Amino acid sequence: MKKIFLLCQLLLLAVFCFAQKTNKDLRYEALSGCYGKSTEGICLFDDGRFLLYGYATAIFGSYGFEKDYLLFYPDKSELFEIYAHQNKSIGASVRIDFKGFDRAAETLVQLGADSIKNVFNKDANCFDAPFVLTRKNKVSGITLSNKNVSWTYQIDKSFNDLTLVYNAPGRYAEHFSGMISIDENEKLLRLSASFGEKGFKKQKTDKNEGQWRDIMQLKNEYDLSKKNTGDFVFANKHYHSFPSPAAADYLYDKASNQYISKKAKENEAYYRQNQYNDPRYLRKYVKLSPKTKGNFSGLKDSISSSSIFYTVCGEGAEKSYHYQGYQKYKEDSRPAPIPTTMPPVPIPPINKTSDK
């Protein structure tokens, strides 16, 4: 009797799973693909996910249907993030990298007991990323504000290499809608008024070719990061983030607290000319949780007249901040690569590589 009951349960479960699979809206598969140009557009995936892309923009999210409309729900990042690492090469000194602060005005930081400062000067422009502050002494706490809210972080004394991230609120964080129409036998995706009611034609993309494979690889890496419970990123000394170092390609060096490529020496000459993109020496940065979140209570009088970074074009440009972290070589006559200040994406923990 028990065996018959168990068999019935398994049959019911199989029927339920089959029903769930067959009840999936067929429009997901029919509409999947990329709409727009190579420089700007939106990709729809058959699992209900999307990628909105453009200049310095890559927004993932989920979408669904309501009658003839597509409803898009972008994934939202935390307003502020801090990632920390113990950098054994700088001793008691501190390096602090700022990401995303150049995209928004009036962002504030307080390092320890220092005065509250704007990250950038008023009317800042001609940015030269990465934006790295060096200090002789460690900080026990950091407060990040945008004149509406303040988040405070407690910094463990072992951490002396930090990345501060500001995910500026914008229209890409808000829900939006779209509608599919047919124009000259081509599918056209029009987005809501917040995007100027743009119309993106569906690209004739072979899903087995390189471009779509690259997009799917990016999506798979992002989806994997969303499942991450470790909350950390890997980056080189110039704060360019990279995927988790594979155990087959990297060795963990306890003395320097970093992961070193097994082919580091072989590629040294190449990366002299490409230092920002050098993945041979990677550091693990752990995400910190804010100690408090609240409204910004600072008074204008308490904000310092100076800023962490100063940068302008034209007159006064000689006083502007320029990153000095690249090592100079005699044979290096080419300009350094233009880095990005996009926030790092957390990636899953390593399973096979030894760790500190």
Side-chain angles (χ1 to χ4, degrees), residues 106-110 114-122 133 147 300-311:
E106 298 184 334
T107 48
L108 304 164
V109 61
Q110 183 176 21
D114 292 357
S115 59
I116 303 171
K117 292 183 178 182
N118 282 283
V119 177
F120 286 96
N121 56 289
K122 185 178 180 181
L133 172 70
K147 292 197 173 180
K300 289 185 177 181
D301 294 341
S302 65
I303 301 175
S304 173
S305 58
S306 63
S307 58
I308 299 294
F309 301 104
Y310 177 85
T311 178

Side-chain angles (χ1 to χ4, degrees), residues 237-299:
K237 65 185 297 184
H238 307 297
Y239 301 98
H240 184 185
S241 59
F242 291 89
S244 172
D249 301 323
Y250 286 79
L251 293 174
Y252 173 69
D253 180 57
K254 186 176 182 180
S256 62
N257 192 24
Q258 60 183 347
Y259 295 84
I260 302 176
S261 169
K262 295 179 181 178
K263 298 181 179 180
K265 292 184 178 180
E266 297 177 28
N267 296 323
E268 182 176 356
Y270 172 78
Y271 285 111
R272 283 186 177 187
Q273 309 291 340
N274 196 15
Q275 295 180 45
Y276 180 73
N277 294 308
D278 187 351
R280 295 175 302 145
Y281 302 90
L282 299 180
R283 299 165 178 172
K284 179 180 177 180
Y285 290 78
V286 180
K287 187 175 181 180
L288 305 182
S289 298
K291 184 178 180 181
T292 63
K293 295 181 181 181
N295 295 325
F296 176 67
S297 58
L299 302 175

Side-chain angles (χ1 to χ4, degrees), residues 67-134:
K67 296 182 179 179
D68 294 331
Y69 286 92
L70 287 81
L71 303 182
F72 296 91
Y73 305 93
D75 295 341
K76 292 188 177 182
S77 300
E78 295 180 80
L79 185 64
F80 295 110
E81 296 174 289
I82 293 183
Y83 295 86
H85 169 76
Q86 183 183 19
N87 188 336
K88 295 185 177 182
S89 68
I90 59 176
S93 300
V94 173
R95 298 179 82 224
I96 304 176
D97 170 51
F98 290 77
K99 281 184 168 58
F101 293 86
D102 54 319
R103 295 191 177 91
E106 298 184 334
T107 48
L108 304 164
V109 61
Q110 183 176 21
L111 303 175
D114 292 357
S115 59
I116 303 171
K117 292 183 178 182
N118 282 283
V119 177
F120 286 96
N121 56 289
K122 185 178 180 181
D123 300 323
N125 47 31
C126 288
F127 298 105
D128 182 21
F131 310 104
V132 181
L133 172 70
T134 57

Side-chain angles (χ1 to χ4, degrees), residues 65-269:
F65 300 97
E66 184 174 311
K67 296 182 179 179
D68 294 331
Y69 286 92
L70 287 81
L71 303 182
F72 296 91
Y73 305 93
D75 295 341
K76 292 188 177 182
S77 300
E78 295 180 80
L79 185 64
F80 295 110
E81 296 174 289
I82 293 183
Y83 295 86
H85 169 76
Q86 183 183 19
N87 188 336
K88 295 185 177 182
S89 68
I90 59 176
S93 300
V94 173
R95 298 179 82 224
I96 304 176
D97 170 51
F98 290 77
K99 281 184 168 58
F101 293 86
D102 54 319
R103 295 191 177 91
E106 298 184 334
T107 48
L108 304 164
V109 61
Q110 183 176 21
L111 303 175
D114 292 357
S115 59
I116 303 171
K117 292 183 178 182
N118 282 283
V119 177
F120 286 96
N121 56 289
K122 185 178 180 181
D123 300 323
N125 47 31
C126 288
F127 298 105
D128 182 21
F131 310 104
V132 181
L133 172 70
T134 57
R135 290 169 53 99
K136 292 182 179 179
N137 302 314
K138 296 181 181 180
V139 294
S140 58
I142 295 178
T143 299
L144 300 174
S145 311
N146 67 354
K147 292 197 173 180
N148 291 315
V149 298
S150 286
W151 292 17
T152 62
Y153 294 81
Q154 186 173 341
I155 311 299
D156 187 273
K157 63 181 180 180
S158 64
F159 294 132
N160 61 347
D161 197 343
L162 308 167
T163 289
L164 279 51
V165 181
Y166 179 53
N167 296 305
R171 64 174 184 171
Y172 297 127
E174 301 301 323
H175 301 169
F176 60 96
S177 61
M179 178 176 282
I180 295 288
S181 61
I182 304 297
D183 181 24
E184 298 180 354
N185 295 322
E186 292 183 311
K187 290 179 181 176
L188 187 70
L189 173 57
R190 294 188 182 277
L191 301 182
S192 53
S194 59
F195 292 87
E197 296 187 351
K198 290 182 179 179
F200 294 117
K201 286 187 177 181
K202 187 174 185 180
Q203 299 175 11
K204 295 179 180 179
T205 303
D206 183 348
K207 293 187 178 180
N208 293 317
E209 70 179 19
Q211 181 182 356
W212 182 258
R213 287 202 305 269
D214 291 343
I215 291 172
M216 289 304 300
Q217 180 179 352
L218 178 63
K219 175 184 179 296
N220 292 336
E221 290 176 357
Y222 178 83
D223 289 344
L224 191 60
S225 76
K226 295 292 289 183
K227 298 178 181 179
N228 172 41
T229 57
D231 284 330
F232 51 80
V233 298
F234 286 91
N236 65 12
K237 65 185 297 184
H238 307 297
Y239 301 98
H240 184 185
S241 59
F242 291 89
S244 172
D249 301 323
Y250 286 79
L251 293 174
Y252 173 69
D253 180 57
K254 186 176 182 180
S256 62
N257 192 24
Q258 60 183 347
Y259 295 84
I260 302 176
S261 169
K262 295 179 181 178
K263 298 181 179 180
K265 292 184 178 180
E266 297 177 28
N267 296 323
E268 182 176 356

